Amino acid sequence: MSDSTEEAPASSSHQASTASNEPGCTLTAYEKQMLAELNKVRAAGRSCGDESFGPAPALTYSCAILPAARSHSIDMATNNFFSHTGSDGRRVSHRVDDTGYEWSVVGENIAAGFDSVGEVMEGWLDSPGHCENIMDPRFDVVAVSRVDTSSADYDNYWTQVFATPR
């Protein structure tokens, strides 16, 4: 598992809801479960390693940034690697830029080999850096992708992308 956060020069504050407000954005069962788990944790507050976080605003699911998560999970599964840097040398900020989403801050959690949303969330929450991304109150939206494979070191690859619009 690994985490990454990047910031653009300007940032702004936005309210988030607990569902997608993008027209035509339909969530799969695991995306709905992930959003619910994330918002449950954020609402309660949490200690991530030595850092304590109070409750954070609920995230909204973003189909607009989903291609950034999906493309990275596919890349890791197809090319059998595990890193925030893609096989093309690009990072989460580049992948989100490719979607056309104008962001002020982005972050990414990746994981591999976890069978369920509950298991991958437990793994991320047990890791201070991943937990910090989950609890970061700067983030307004999230998307997640799980790609299953039988031709790589792990059975599946997860990518969770967080962002806040400009």
Side-chain angles (χ1 to χ4, degrees):
M1 287 189 304
S2 189
D3 68 277
S4 175
T5 304
E6 299 179 38
E7 262 187 89
S11 107
S12 60
S13 175
H14 297 275
Q15 289 284 63
S17 68
T18 57
S20 178
N21 55 8
E22 298 168 2
C25 184
T26 304
L27 279 60
T28 65
Y30 83 85
E31 290 167 333
K32 288 177 187 176
Q33 184 182 358
M34 179 69 72
L35 182 62
E37 291 284 329
L38 287 165
N39 285 332
K40 179 180 173 185
V41 170
R42 287 172 65 92
R46 185 170 189 96
S47 290
C48 301
D50 295 335
E51 190 168 353
S52 291
F53 289 84
L59 295 166
T60 300
Y61 198 89
S62 175
C63 290
I65 64 170
L66 178 58
R70 182 178 294 131
S71 67
H72 194 55
S73 288
I74 290 169
D75 187 22
M76 289 189 294
T78 302
N79 295 298
N80 194 23
F81 73 95
F82 185 74
S83 173
H84 287 287
T85 304
S87 63
D88 58 2
R90 295 162 42 109
R91 298 186 56 79
V92 64
S93 59
H94 302 114
R95 292 186 285 275
V96 174
D97 285 345
D98 288 346
T99 71
Y101 186 90
E102 294 185 17
W103 56 273
S104 59
V105 62
V106 293
E108 178 179 79
N109 287 344
I110 60 174
F114 290 90
D115 291 328
S116 68
V117 168
E119 289 176 13
V120 75
M121 279 294 293
E122 183 178 331
W124 280 331
L125 291 170
D126 286 345
S127 165
H130 297 95
C131 181
E132 289 170 17
N133 270 350
I134 290 168
M135 293 306 300
D136 193 327
R138 297 175 300 168
F139 294 131
D140 289 344
V141 298
V142 66
V144 63
S145 178
R146 172 188 167 156
V147 171
D148 295 325
T149 182
S150 60
S151 60
D153 290 341
Y154 296 99
D155 292 337
N156 55 61
Y157 291 82
W158 298 79
T159 303
Q160 194 177 55
V161 175
F162 300 93
T164 296
R166 258 188 225 157

